[in-house]
């Protein structure tokens, strides 16, 4: 099917149907195939059915999109705030109208169940509605100057073309976050979605923004085949027309990107992996701690960068917590993500399933005990609780993306903070305690970009300074902070009298 053949339909009308659909690049307001005419088949992680044939783009396609975005920049940057505001408010209405169909597409394309699907749609709606007022924020400051008759200003201006690289795991939210803030500030965007979410993390945003009236060229999407992200990513990095890159993904990929960006002196915003601790003090309400930990570790089958990976429990509560937690986890329903009762749906692909299996088995060989789960049920991996995991086990290091959590008893929450801080990563953390003042003291010692006291770590709101420290990334997403990342400050002066020059 050629891209133009579905004019009048959403690609979503075809997602998961036996006749499939074709997802082209979205460049200059048009759906186009790859220059090379190549495509790949995206399959559903749950059913294995073809979701769509997708344009397999390369550097050539990316350069085409960059040129178009560059051309569209001046006009979009100059659009009056009320016009931009209308577009984002309309986009929110379009998404709201399409909510059920978007939830279905998230389940079919990425295995995302209802609970996390609703979280994603709600975030995206708030993102659009908050972005609608960004155009009315003050754009700079007047500064006192020591020059006689001089006036000085710091004026914030959009940078130009922003390259956005997003992952599959919270496809709608993370692609939206990569795109909407930069657009609302007057930039134009080329988005490279993950090969696992070309629709809900790419084409769907194009459909929504196009229907809302975004001018052609302001937003563009270039897709690519599995294993071929590098060609599109490199084109974004190398092009002098692309002024910023924002990237959400794993630390190894982000590190490679930052190394290359250094060569081109390109500023990047990176939100990378997490090894997120959840600390339970001995005065905590055990029932609440168990429920919070189960959600924090297993929402979206543990495939969220903020998911709790290690639970530290102060020793007096450790046995009771662990017993009740493992009992709850063992009952979490696993299976079809479209079934509202399912908690643990499929993991994204066979590679991810094999990695989880290998790392859990390695931990067990090194002495770990499995208290729940631990046996794959393809295409799912059940919610799994491990104890006695030695530090040298791979699963105790870095980030393993999936429904596996480690529980560890500690002598004190302070010891837990020290253990958590040993990690190279520092994205999100949480503390469950009856003593809020102690919780805040512990929070201030945690090396993490985000800390929640009396909650689990999976939380996001569009206005918050979302981001990590250490190897979890640079910079902050969040609309209130986007101007720091996606604008340039220009120093402008004017004098109301001539100056005397020394020669
Ligand atoms: P995840 O494990 O969450 O998929 P990745 O870091 O592999 O994390 O992927 C995040 C995003 O980075 C995806 O859009 C992926 O296609 C992209 N990506 C992977 N390799 C590269 C690369 N060499 N250059 C640019 N983007 C890449």
């Amino acid at each position: 099917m050629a891209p133009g053949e579905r004019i009048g339909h959403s690609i979503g009308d075809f997602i998961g149907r036996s006749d499939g659909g074709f997802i082209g690049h979205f460049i200059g307001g048009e759906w186009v195939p790859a220059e090379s005419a190549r495509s790949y088949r995206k399959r559903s992680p749950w059913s294995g059915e073809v979701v769509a044939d997708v344009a397999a783009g390369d550097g050539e396609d990316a350069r085409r999109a960059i040129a178009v975005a560059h051309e569209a920049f001046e006009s979009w940057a100059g659009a009056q705030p009320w016009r931009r505001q209308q577009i984002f408010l309309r986009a929110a209405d379009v998404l709201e109208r399409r909510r059920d169909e978007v939830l279905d597409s998230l389940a079919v394309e990425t295995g995302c169940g209802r609970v996390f699907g609703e979280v994603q749609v709600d975030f995206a709606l708030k993102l659009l509605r908050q972005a609608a007022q960004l155009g009315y924020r003050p754009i700079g400051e007047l500064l006192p100057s020591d020059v006689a008759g001089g006036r000085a200003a710091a004026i914030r201006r959009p940078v130009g073309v922003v390259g956005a690289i997003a992952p599959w795991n919270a496809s709608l939210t993370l692609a939206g976050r990569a795109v909407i803030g930069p657009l609302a500030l007057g930039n134009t965007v080329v988005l490279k979605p993950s090969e696992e979410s070309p629709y809900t993390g790419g084409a769907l945003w194009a459909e929504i923004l196009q229907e809302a009236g975004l001018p052609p060229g302001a937003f563009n999407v270039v897709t690519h085949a599995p294993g071929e992200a590098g060609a599109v990513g490199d084109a974004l990095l190398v092009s002098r027309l692309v002024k910023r890159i924002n990237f959400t993904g794993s630390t190894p990929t982000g590190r490679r990107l930052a190394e290359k960006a250094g060569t081109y002196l390109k500023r990047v915003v990176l939100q990378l992996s997490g090894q997120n601790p959840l600390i339970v003090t001995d005065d905590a309400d055990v029932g609440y701690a168990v429920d919070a930990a189960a959600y924090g570790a297993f929402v979206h089958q543990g495939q969220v960068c903020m998911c709790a990976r290690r639970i530290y429990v102060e020793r007096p509560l450790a046995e009771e917590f662990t017993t009740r937690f493992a009992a709850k986890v063992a009952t979490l329903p696993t299976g079809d993500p479209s079934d509202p009762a399912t908690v643990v749906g499929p993991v994204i692909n066979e590679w991810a399933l094999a990695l989880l299996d290998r790392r859990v088995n390695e931990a067990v060989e090194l002495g770990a005990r499995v208290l729940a789960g631990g046996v794959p049920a393809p295409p799912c991996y059940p919610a799994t609780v491990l104890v006695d995991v030695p530090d040298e086990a791979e699963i105790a290091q870095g980030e393993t993306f999936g429904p596996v959590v480690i529980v560890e008893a500690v002598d004190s929450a302070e010891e837990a903070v020290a253990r958590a801080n040993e990690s190279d990563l520092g994205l999100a953390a949480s503390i469950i305690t009856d003593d809020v003042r102690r919780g805040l003291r512990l929070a201030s010692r945690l090396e993490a970009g985000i800390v929640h006291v009396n909650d689990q770590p999976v939380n996001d709101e569009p206005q918050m300074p979302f981001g990590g420290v250490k190897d979890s990334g640079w910079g902050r997403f969040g609309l209130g902070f986007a101007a720091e990342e996606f604008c340039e400050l220009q120093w402008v002066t004017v004098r109301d009298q001539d100056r005397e020059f020394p020669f």
Side-chain angles (χ1 to χ4, degrees):
M1 188 182 299
E5 281 177 45
R6 30 169 194 69
I7 282 171
H9 292 271
S10 154
I11 298 162
D13 296 340
F14 294 93
I15 295 293
R17 272 177 35 172
S18 57
D19 56 351
F22 183 88
I23 300 176
H25 302 318
F26 185 72
I27 300 178
E30 308 269 333
W31 296 98
V32 294
E35 281 278 299
S36 65
R38 288 191 311 125
S39 62
Y40 76 97
R41 278 224 143 148
K42 161 66 193 162
R43 290 182 182 275
S44 166
W46 168 249
S47 66
E49 282 167 350
V50 175
V51 171
D53 286 317
V54 185
D58 55 23
E60 203 46 50
D61 299 292
R63 282 185 284 279
R64 210 160 29 125
I66 293 166
V68 165
H70 176 67
E71 222 168 280
F73 171 62
E74 201 177 316
S75 154
W76 176 242
Q80 287 166 305
W82 71 268
R83 199 162 114 66
R84 284 201 227 139
Q85 181 179 49
Q86 272 196 330
I87 292 168
F88 293 114
L89 291 177
R90 270 202 301 261
D93 292 343
V94 173
L95 176 58
E96 187 110 64
R97 190 191 79 224
R98 294 181 59 182
R99 177 187 279 267
D100 288 343
E101 170 221 324
V102 169
L103 290 171
D104 289 346
S105 296
L106 284 166
V108 170
E109 187 182 54
T110 67
C112 178
R114 280 277 144 161
V115 169
F116 197 61
E118 299 274 10
V119 169
Q120 291 204 59
V121 173
D122 288 343
F123 179 95
L125 288 171
K126 289 182 196 155
L127 177 74
L128 287 163
R129 291 185 173 130
Q130 289 185 30
Q133 54 81 39
L134 265 192
Y136 287 103
R137 284 277 188 90
I139 61 158
E141 287 178 65
L142 284 176
L143 301 162
S145 166
D146 282 331
V147 173
R151 309 266 187 285
I155 298 178
R156 227 170 36 216
R157 306 193 324 179
V159 293
V161 180
V162 172
I165 301 178
W168 52 265
N169 61 316
S171 49
L172 183 76
T173 300
L174 296 179
R177 185 182 80 171
V179 159
I180 299 301
L183 275 176
L185 289 162
N187 302 289
T188 56
V189 175
V190 177
L191 168 69
K192 188 211 82 56
S194 164
E195 55 271 36
E196 295 287 9
S197 55
Y199 181 59
T200 55
L204 173 61
W205 276 109
E207 289 180 344
I208 290 170
L209 292 169
Q210 187 177 41
E211 184 178 340
L214 190 76
F219 175 59
N220 308 275
V221 184
V222 177
T223 52
H224 61 84
E228 297 181 10
V232 178
D234 284 356
L236 291 170
L237 275 170
V238 170
S239 170
R240 297 187 75 82
L241 301 179
V242 177
K243 307 298 184 190
R244 295 280 194 283
I245 303 275
N246 74 57
F247 172 84
T248 304
S250 63
T251 294
T253 309
R255 193 186 302 281
R256 275 201 302 278
L257 223 74
E259 281 167 6
K260 283 190 192 167
T263 306
Y264 300 98
L265 292 179
K266 185 144 299 174
R267 270 178 59 180
V268 284
V269 182
L270 302 170
Q271 195 253 284
L272 308 176
S273 309
Q275 238 286 8
N276 314 303
L278 185 156
I279 299 170
V280 184
T281 62
D282 63 5
D283 57 3
D285 175 329
V286 190
Y288 179 71
V290 164
D291 290 349
Y295 179 88
F298 301 118
V299 66
H300 195 27
Q301 39 278 18
Q303 300 175 122
V304 185
C305 54
M306 300 165 265
C307 275
R309 304 291 175 205
R310 300 189 77 122
I311 301 172
Y312 298 100
V313 191
E314 284 190 319
R315 218 167 285 285
L317 204 66
E319 196 177 324
E320 185 186 353
F321 172 87
T322 309
T323 308
R324 286 175 62 176
F325 180 58
K328 173 164 180 145
V329 172
T331 64
L332 296 178
T334 301
D336 185 347
S338 305
D339 180 346
T342 296
V343 172
V344 182
V347 292
I348 191 68
N349 54 36
E350 288 169 4
W351 180 88
L353 190 69
L355 185 72
L356 282 162
D357 194 32
R358 184 170 69 68
R359 288 194 173 163
V360 169
N361 289 336
E362 187 227 26
V364 169
E365 275 162 29
L366 291 170
R369 287 182 298 130
V370 179
L371 298 190
V375 179
C380 301
Y381 196 88
T384 296
V385 180
L386 300 178
V387 292
D388 301 334
V389 177
D391 284 347
E392 66 268 29
E394 276 182 57
I395 205 141
Q397 302 160 14
E399 179 185 58
T400 298
F401 227 54
V404 180
V405 73
I406 297 169
V407 180
E408 187 177 326
V410 284
D411 290 334
S412 68
E414 288 71 16
E415 182 198 341
V417 169
R419 294 271 293 137
N421 286 348
E422 284 167 19
S423 169
D424 291 335
L425 302 173
L427 184 60
S430 69
I431 301 158
I432 302 204
T433 177
D434 198 36
D435 180 349
V436 173
R437 290 202 299 185
R438 185 177 178 212
L440 288 173
R441 276 198 306 277
L442 292 165
S444 70
R445 288 190 212 146
L446 274 164
E447 294 172 2
I450 302 162
V451 185
H452 302 290
V453 177
N454 285 333
D455 203 342
Q456 48 69 50
V458 183
N459 289 289
D460 196 7
E461 295 183 59
Q463 75 277 22
M464 299 299 176
F466 194 100
V469 297
K470 304 201 285 191
D471 291 0
S472 288
W474 293 340
R476 292 291 175 270
F477 287 86
L479 289 174
F481 306 87
E484 307 269 321
E485 314 288 356
F486 302 110
C487 290
E488 295 290 8
L489 266 188
Q490 188 176 50
W491 176 35
V492 178
T493 70
V494 63
R495 303 176 62 104
D496 64 9
Q497 58 189 260
D498 287 349
R499 157 176 191 181
E500 281 183 19
F501 294 100
F503 56 87

